Amino acid sequence: MCGIIAVIQKKGQVAPFLHQALKRLEYRGYDSVGITTISEDQLFTKKDKGKIDEVHKKLNLDNLPGSIGIGHTRWATHGIPSLYNSHPHFDCYEKIAVVHNGVIDNFLELRKKLLKKGHTFGSETDTEVIPHMIEDEMKSGSSLKEAIKNVTERIEGTYAIVAMSIHEPDKIICTRNGNPLVIGKKEGTSYVSSDIPAFLPMTNSMILLLDGEIATLTTDDVRIEKLSDGSVIERDTIKISWTASQAQKGGFPHFMLKEIHEQPDAIKQTLRIRPEMFVKAANTIQEANRVYFLAMGTSGHSAMAGRYMFASSSGIVPSFELASDFTDIMYDSISEDDCIIAITQSGETTDTITSVKYAKEHGAKIIAITNVVGSSITRIADHTIITQAGPEIGVAATKTLMVQLAALAQLSIHTGQITEFRTNEFLMRMRENLEEVPDKISNIIAIEEEKARRLARIYYNKPSFLFLGRGISISTAFEGALKLKEISYNHAEGYSAGESKHGPIALVEKGYPVIFVAPKDSTHGRIIGNVMEMKSRGAEIISVIEESDSDLLELSDHAFQIPSGIRHEFSPMAYVVPLQLFSYYMARRNGYDPDKPRNLAKSVTVL
Ligand code: AGP
């Protein structure tokens, strides 16, 4: 997920606008930034690693000549954050400038062909193959638009591409497949961006660009054509009523709610990770004597669920230890025969980094699952799996939990292929089931969000909650309780339902809310017993159940219903969603800002 902006106007410098537009897109990525303009048949560029303000302070992004330009703020998916990996990228002669958002799956093959033709590359990104391919096409006589059209026929993957060239300095060309681009228009000026906030202060007149379309922007005109047959598309302008702040959140009131809604897409992107990224890690796991998950907070809840995924698909049952206490429990027994799977969305959590360094010093192999390319954990790990959630702005982890579970599911299946604990048929069915999860989550959000809002109005002032689950759902119960307490400040405890009668049930009195996470898996019969125990002591039962579960529906005061057909190993991905929504609406009903909960930071970089 990156931020793209481009503009062409009749006169005056565009650089100051591009700089401010990138600031409004910073929530889409912030590990490097760049601007290129055209003036007097030359490209002028300022770009570097770092947040926009840091790079501006160093280079002065406003000071570039020209009334046509493109800009980009990066969220790295290939190639670490650095000057040479920052966009825009160029052809060999620096006559063509390109910015891109997405993932080009076949970039290695394209890069090899270009290198054989004598092209020289300045970065390790997938993006850089695009300007070099355009260069070849234009050398053969194509216009910039025709060149880009031909290039899109040879790249595989998702992209939003915006390009300009000193050969045709009076236009910007853009096209998309799976990643967003919107066009803005006002008298004498045309804009194109990843998202509306970039140009909203300048115009609220927007034109949608759809997948498989290519647009030519000049100062006076926007021409949209179909890539497939070149036919011209007449598309009406849409008037945007949002404020710039609302637009940054996609019209949602808070980033957290936007990020809950982004979860299906984030999973889909993570399911596109190339298999070879998992195979090496899976071999390391299979060869290890002992396997430990190390993580904190929500990432620890991913680890708790990951244990069941691995147990089911590979026969390997990793341990999970809180990273903050790992060195205390190991008494230096960790060795080169052991393997650590570190889960950390930020890649910077000091507890996790410290314990991983300790394990590495003792010779253990390190696998990292993180959402941030170039983060500290990636520089320690032997193998890194980069999840594809894009930047998560809300302090409470939602979509990053989801992509961690999606990555763990894939890693466990790849490990199962090596251990042969299951048949390939079994593992294939697991993978097929996993592919169905994103759409089921979309349904859950669509159907259950209103119920979450309604229950928040009933329970917002309850001082204490129990979240209970069995088996893999213990992780979901823990996560639901964490979400509630960290953004709505109602006390909440996640517990094993089996454990609840060994103490926590003493909390229960008439009207006490107990939330059960109860998919129809092997624990279902026992969880019914737990529900009845709580109910008989006056608890109010809120349950998250499978849609066909009439037994638990009858026993519950309120129930969130989850579509059937989700394998129990992946049930946390679906069953946690109503709890995320419930905690969000509880926080709002209590008048708190879900994006900025008190006392918390997005990344805990202290021991
Ligand atoms: C989760 O909502 C919290 N923000 C927190 O528990 C977080 O999961 C924890 O600090 C771990 O962060 P990490 O994944 O970046 O390591």
Side-chain angles (χ1 to χ4, degrees), residues 27 78-79 137 227 309 347 418 435 469 473 510 518 546 565 584 606:
Y27 68 91
H78 287 79
E137 291 289 340
L227 278 173
M309 294 177 188
I418 298 168
E435 302 272 355
S473 297
K510 183 159 177 46
E546 190 174 304
Y584 170 79
V606 290

Side-chain angles (χ1 to χ4, degrees), residues 296-299 343-347 349 352 395-397 404 479 482-483 486 601-604:
M296 299 302 290
T298 290
S299 298
I343 306 176
T344 165
Q345 74 82 18
S346 63
T349 297
T352 307
V395 166
Q404 288 171 351
E479 177 59 12
L482 174 62
K483 286 281 117 13
E486 73 173 325
K602 185 60 187 168
S603 178
V604 180

